[in-house]
Amino acid sequence: MTESIPYVICWLRRDLRLFDQAALYHALKSGYPVQLLFIFDTEILDKLEDRSDARVHFIHQSLISVNRELEGHGASLRVEVGNPVEVYARLLAQDPQIQGVFTNEDYEPYAIQRDKAVTELLERSGRFFRSYKDHVIFAKEEVVKDDGAPYTVFTPYKNKWLKGLKPFHLKAYPCEKYFGALLKGQNHRIPDLSEIGFTPSSLPLPPATIDEKLIGTYDKTRDIPSIRGTSRLSLHLRFGTVSIRSLATVGGRLNAAWLNELIWRDFYQMIIWHFPHSTSKAFKPAYDRIEWENNPADFKRWMEGKTGYAIVDAGMRELNATGFMHNRVRMITASFLTKHLLIDWRWGEAYFAKKLLDFDLASNVGGWQWAASSGCDAAPYFRVFNPDLQTQKFDPDLKYIKKWVPEFQDLTYRKMIDHNFARNRVLERFKQALKEE
């Protein structure tokens, strides 16, 4: 369909909302009518093995909500399926009235490559591409050392982050004031999931509710996996159905420990921007010399939650059943895979990427490299979590374990590897690799 007047596109990606959204705000104030667009990127979707992937279902449901709100203003959301560069080439060929694209920055290596290609396509035809910071508080070079180098240790980064934080950084973009600039009169249709090649998921999806009472006690409850002690907002933060500015405001007002987790998220986004190689290689190159066992049978037992270590098995079964795993247990399961079983952290990172509802490349890579001691500001290699001690500390009444591993007291439920043997082996293996520096 050809529009009769010049207009701009606001390209939604990981910002599926119409409030406090940087690119949408700037598009609405551009002087052009604004058409919102979402592209189901087949470069990403084609790699998903599970055709009932709950994340795709969540995105689809979020787009329906966005469109419903747009319809209340006489506008509608356009949804396309395909390679974004090819989609834009087709749209530009069909419609000379498109003046340019507004969108929010994404710091992942693929996203940078994609945006560069779309920018070049637009500029060749005399259109513009403008992107804005939206899903972090500070990005790229905004929090760096005095000499301009990026931080690779979290605590000094956090200190400078907090020192640099001003009310301006938490101020919401008042998009609603400018909804009159939405392109009206369109009646675009959102394709069904089946048309995209997916089916609905049966996994329960957490609501985008900011529970201030829970956040207020987060520092006391966050490490106990048997209770609801975390906000469960990470899925919404990942796809932008909530605003990072609103969450940081709440964290700053109610709980420094909760705000600290948001700062970790900014930190990992900054790391992936400055060190894109870290998505597939050890941040500390010496750790790529580690001789992993990489036993497929051991990996299978870990994936299925059949290691004989109840806290590890509970975490893996929770992940497989719900798409969620408690953060403390993520550390325990990751440490077990890399340190006890000597399986490459990339295997575990890829499995979490498949299963986690809140999968975010920067945080997932950062967390796995932290556990494997190969990342920036990672746990030292000689820190090997003892799953039994972790259980005593964080699940002493075995409530979490009993929920997910009811057979843990059976005589046939046995540990696949001895902790002391595994610890000695990993220390020797890591020492050997690092000695070669």
Side-chain angles (χ1 to χ4, degrees):
M1 174 181 178
T2 301
E3 311 297 344
S4 58
I5 57 172
Y7 67 99
V8 294
I9 286 172
C10 179
W11 182 14
L12 302 181
R13 285 105 70 98
R14 49 187 302 162
D15 43 25
L16 307 181
R17 65 187 188 281
L18 300 181
F19 57 91
D20 189 11
Q21 209 259 60
L24 177 58
Y25 171 79
H26 288 289
L28 291 169
K29 291 197 70 183
S30 68
Y32 291 104
V34 178
Q35 172 65 60
L36 278 86
L37 168 73
F38 181 84
I39 301 172
F40 277 104
D41 187 344
T42 51
E43 294 297 305
I44 297 171
L45 296 187
D46 289 350
K47 295 181 175 68
L48 298 179
E49 296 173 12
D50 182 2
R51 304 318 283 181
S52 63
D53 193 299
R55 295 163 297 192
V56 179
H57 187 190
F58 176 80
I59 291 169
H60 191 260
Q61 292 297 108
S62 300
L63 295 177
I64 290 172
S65 296
V66 166
N67 192 51
R68 192 175 297 126
E69 190 175 348
L70 286 171
E71 287 176 341
H73 297 280
S76 70
L77 173 66
R78 184 164 189 166
V79 176
E80 298 286 340
V81 182
N83 175 296
V85 179
E86 294 173 1
V87 168
Y88 274 110
R90 175 167 50 80
L91 293 181
L92 295 177
Q94 289 174 350
D95 194 348
Q97 299 287 18
I98 297 172
Q99 303 299 301
V101 173
F102 290 78
T103 195
N104 290 312
E105 295 170 350
D106 191 331
Y107 310 112
E108 296 181 5
Y110 164 70
I112 293 167
Q113 175 190 12
R114 173 201 63 204
D115 288 358
K116 183 173 183 288
V118 171
T119 301
E120 290 170 353
L121 173 71
L122 287 162
E123 290 180 347
R124 280 198 301 271
S125 61
R127 277 90 160 195
F128 61 81
F129 181 93
R130 295 176 189 161
S131 61
Y132 302 87
K133 177 184 66 172
D134 184 72
H135 77 274
V136 293
I137 301 298
F138 292 114
K140 299 180 180 177
E141 291 86 17
E142 288 188 310
V143 178
V144 292
K145 299 176 185 177
D146 291 342
D147 65 359
Y151 283 104
T152 58
V153 177
F154 176 69
T155 300
Y157 172 86
K158 177 187 77 171
N159 292 338
K160 198 154 190 180
W161 191 102
L162 289 168
K163 186 179 179 183
L165 186 67
K166 301 291 186 288
F168 165 80
H169 297 112
L170 303 179
K171 188 178 178 183
Y173 289 94
C175 299
E176 299 87 344
K177 285 173 59 177
Y178 303 97
F179 280 170
L182 291 168
L183 186 63
K184 307 293 199 299
Q186 307 307 302
N187 190 24
H188 298 296
R189 175 182 162 273
I190 295 180
D192 294 333
L193 270 176
S194 59
E195 296 173 66
I196 306 164
F198 287 80
T199 57
S201 168
S202 59
L203 293 185
L205 299 171
T209 305
I210 300 175
D211 185 335
E212 293 199 356
K213 184 178 178 183
L214 185 151
I215 292 170
T217 59
Y218 173 80
D219 54 315
K220 300 176 182 65
T221 60
R222 62 176 176 169
D223 280 321
I224 307 169
S226 62
I227 66 172
R228 173 71 189 276
T230 60
S231 69
R232 302 287 179 98
L233 286 169
S234 51
L235 169 66
H236 295 279
L237 197 51
R238 166 63 182 88
F239 292 108
T241 48
V242 296
S243 154
I244 183 62
R245 288 168 289 281
S246 64
L247 297 189
T249 299
V250 171
R253 178 164 54 86
L254 295 178
N255 200 306
W258 197 73
L259 178 63
N260 199 58
E261 295 304 311
L262 300 181
I263 302 173
W264 267 107
R265 183 174 172 276
D266 270 16
F267 177 68
Y268 282 142
Q269 291 289 336
M270 180 272 299
I271 289 293
I272 206 173
W273 168 263
H274 285 284
F275 307 98
H277 71 276
S278 65
T279 60
S280 58
K281 295 181 180 179
F283 184 86
K284 300 174 182 174
Y287 284 77
D288 275 333
R289 293 200 300 265
I290 291 165
E291 186 184 337
W292 302 104
E293 290 294 306
N294 286 348
N295 183 309
D298 288 352
F299 186 58
K300 186 171 186 287
R301 289 182 68 171
W302 175 82
M303 287 190 294
E304 294 175 350
K306 295 178 180 178
T307 69
Y309 283 89
I311 190 80
V312 174
D313 294 346
M316 296 308 297
R317 294 183 194 185
E318 180 184 32
L319 174 64
N320 292 332
T322 69
F324 172 81
M325 189 193 293
H326 188 277
N327 190 56
R328 166 58 56 176
V329 186
R330 292 188 197 196
M331 291 190 278
I332 297 169
T333 56
S335 175
F336 185 86
L337 184 74
T338 55
K339 302 281 179 76
H340 280 70
L341 301 184
L342 268 174
I343 289 176
D344 193 328
W345 63 269
R346 283 161 280 230
W347 290 31
E349 192 275 329
Y351 190 71
F352 272 26
K354 274 195 235 179
K355 293 290 184 176
L356 283 171
L357 287 176
D358 64 1
F359 166 67
D360 180 280
L361 181 64
S363 295
N364 200 46
V365 165
W368 272 94
Q369 291 219 42
W370 181 91
S373 302
S374 62
C376 59
D377 203 6
Y381 78 86
F382 47 82
R383 184 181 184 187
V384 182
F385 280 161
N386 181 328
D388 294 333
L389 294 180
Q390 292 287 308
T391 300
Q392 291 170 26
K393 193 170 182 181
F394 301 113
D395 193 31
D397 299 325
L398 307 178
K399 290 179 183 176
Y400 178 69
I401 284 171
K402 286 175 181 176
K403 178 178 180 179
W404 295 104
V405 192
E407 80 278 18
F408 77 102
Q409 289 179 315
D410 293 353
L411 292 175
T412 55
Y413 186 74
R414 294 179 181 170
K415 294 172 178 174
M416 66 183 289
I417 190 168
D418 176 73
H419 170 71
N420 289 328
F421 165 80
R423 187 176 189 279
N424 291 333
R425 180 178 67 169
V426 74
L427 292 182
E428 188 57 40
R429 194 70 60 89
F430 274 49
K431 278 181 193 172
Q432 187 61 39
L434 300 178
K435 192 168 66 177
E436 297 169 14
E437 283 190 282

